């Protein structure tokens, strides 16, 4: 199928994952290879043989969040209590944001998880109180994953994030928490 001059179209990339290699963030150089066919603008007929062209594209970045499906749990607190705390990772980060709302949006995006119980947005009258963010997802291989995060404005210097991640797989919480770095 061709795309005519002046029109836009979609291109998809399918990659196969080697299950023997650990999942880690990586980036790939990408180039679009295509054939150009000169066409007579009045008749629409081809004016010769197609020739190959290439166009460099932006790097394709694969992050740990790309392996996470956003899946809501009906009762986050119950799911958190039932998830094995032996597979828990806790971290504390200083984030360079001017407000907690922007930090919440960024954390959700970095982890690729679904906010639960309406915690993905700040309450209008939140003031300087810490914000609790509950998130859930399913990591590649059907591994349920949960995260609890507390975000607090630290004066004018940014936002402090305290996060705990639990999963049925002992390796997943570390990978998810490291998405913040």
């Amino acid at each position: 199928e061709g795309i005519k001059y002046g029109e836009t179209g979609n291109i998809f990339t399918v990659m196969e994952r080697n299950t023997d290699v650990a999942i880690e963030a990586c980036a790939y150089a990408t180039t679009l290879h295509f054939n150009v066919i000169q066409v007579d603008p009045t008749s629409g007929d081809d004016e010769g043989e197609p020739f190959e062209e290439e166009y460099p594209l932006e790097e394709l970045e694969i992050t740990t969040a790309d392996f996470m499906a956003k899946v809501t749990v009906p009762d986050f607190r119950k799911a958190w209590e039932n998830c094995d705390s032996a597979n828990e990772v806790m971290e504390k980060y200083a984030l360079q944001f001017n407000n907690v709302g922007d930090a919440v949006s960024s954390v959700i995006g970095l982890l690729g998880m679904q906010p639960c119980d309406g915690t993905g947005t700040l309450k209008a009258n939140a003031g300087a109180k810490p914000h609790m963010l509950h998130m859930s997802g399913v990591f590649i291989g059907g591994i349920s994953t949960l995260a609890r995060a507390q975000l607090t404005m630290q004066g004018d210097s940014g936002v402090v994030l305290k996060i705990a991640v639990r999963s049925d797989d002992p390796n997943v919480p570390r990978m998810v928490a490291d998405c913040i770095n």
Side-chain angles (χ1 to χ4, degrees):
E1 183 178 318
I3 301 173
K4 294 181 181 175
Y5 178 77
E7 293 181 357
T8 59
N10 294 316
I11 300 172
F12 299 93
T13 301
V14 178
M15 301 176 79
E16 185 175 356
R17 184 174 84 82
N18 182 348
T19 56
D20 296 333
V21 177
I23 294 172
E24 58 182 43
C26 55
Y28 298 94
T30 58
T31 303
L32 173 63
H33 296 270
F34 57 97
N35 291 321
V36 175
I37 301 174
Q38 298 286 345
V39 176
D40 182 317
T42 54
S43 69
D45 294 333
D46 293 355
E47 291 185 340
E49 294 297 312
F51 59 93
E52 291 184 11
E53 280 283 342
E54 64 180 47
Y55 184 79
L57 302 173
E58 294 178 14
E59 257 189 356
L60 174 63
E61 189 175 341
I62 307 288
T63 66
T64 304
D66 293 319
F67 296 96
M68 182 74 72
K70 295 180 178 190
V71 176
T72 304
V73 293
D75 184 347
F76 181 87
R77 291 185 197 285
K78 185 176 180 181
W80 182 262
E81 291 166 5
N82 290 336
C83 194
D84 190 359
S85 63
N87 296 340
E88 179 175 284
V89 169
M90 295 174 55
E91 292 292 343
K92 184 176 179 180
Y93 300 97
L95 307 178
Q96 301 300 312
F97 288 97
N98 294 325
N99 63 66
V100 174
D102 289 346
V104 166
S105 297
S106 179
V107 169
I108 293 168
L110 288 170
L111 300 185
M113 299 179 80
Q114 179 68 38
C116 299
D117 304 330
T119 61
T121 56
L122 298 179
K123 292 183 173 61
N125 58 354
K129 294 191 301 189
H131 178 74
M132 286 302 298
L133 173 62
H134 297 160
M135 295 169 287
S136 63
V138 175
F139 199 71
I140 193 166
I143 302 165
S144 295
T145 307
L146 302 169
R148 286 176 41 171
Q150 181 185 50
L151 297 100
T152 308
M153 198 68 207
Q154 192 71 34
D156 293 336
S157 63
V159 175
V160 173
L161 167 67
K162 295 177 185 174
I163 187 166
V165 182
R166 290 183 182 178
S167 178
D168 297 331
D169 183 304
N171 300 313
V172 171
R174 171 54 49 207
M175 286 189 284
V176 171
D178 285 349
C179 289
I180 303 297
N181 286 337

